[in-house]
Amino acid sequence: MPVPATLWQPGMRITDARLNAKDYQAGSVSVSFTSQTSYTQSVTFPEPFPVAPIMNCEIASGSGATGRFEARPINVSATGFTLFVLLTDTAEGADTWASQPVHWTARMPTA
């Protein structure tokens, strides 16, 4: 497991693990559903964080039905989150998605 990035402190030793450490992860999820106004999907981080990270989600398309939806992370933990996709204008009614990409980023909170 990679070592999370660390703010340098006086007296810290330089190690390969610290030099290669990352304080962020990113990925993409393919989302498909039929006739829904909201949808959830569990996502597991490739590597667990020491604490729950700060997150962002973005729908990678604006065409068709996706233009009326938004995506956000909920139930964020050190090991993953739930992707929540919801229709922003329910007056339009339910929609269907087929393999629409939603990108996510997660980073360690700063002190």
Side-chain angles (χ1 to χ4, degrees):
M1 177 170 96
V3 175
T6 304
L7 295 174
W8 288 100
Q9 302 291 324
M12 281 184 135
R13 293 183 184 167
I14 296 175
T15 65
D16 285 341
R18 283 196 177 127
L19 289 174
N20 294 318
K22 303 286 187 236
D23 62 357
Y24 68 92
Q25 295 181 49
S28 186
V29 178
S30 181
V31 177
S32 298
F33 55 80
T34 302
S35 191
Q36 300 288 322
T37 58
S38 67
Y39 173 81
T40 60
Q41 183 172 330
S42 295
V43 178
T44 302
F45 297 128
E47 295 292 336
F49 284 91
V51 297
I54 296 170
M55 297 235 21
N56 185 45
C57 292
E58 295 290 335
I59 300 168
S61 172
S63 65
T66 61
R68 297 180 297 129
F69 280 78
E70 72 175 55
R72 64 179 180 235
I74 60 173
N75 304 324
V76 179
S77 72
T79 58
F81 68 99
T82 301
L83 173 66
F84 179 44
V85 177
L86 67 146
L87 183 61
T88 57
D89 184 1
T90 55
E92 294 292 325
D95 254 314
T96 297
W97 283 22
S99 302
Q100 292 296 324
V102 178
H103 301 306
W104 59 266
T105 59
R107 67 174 174 84
M108 287 288 296
T110 55

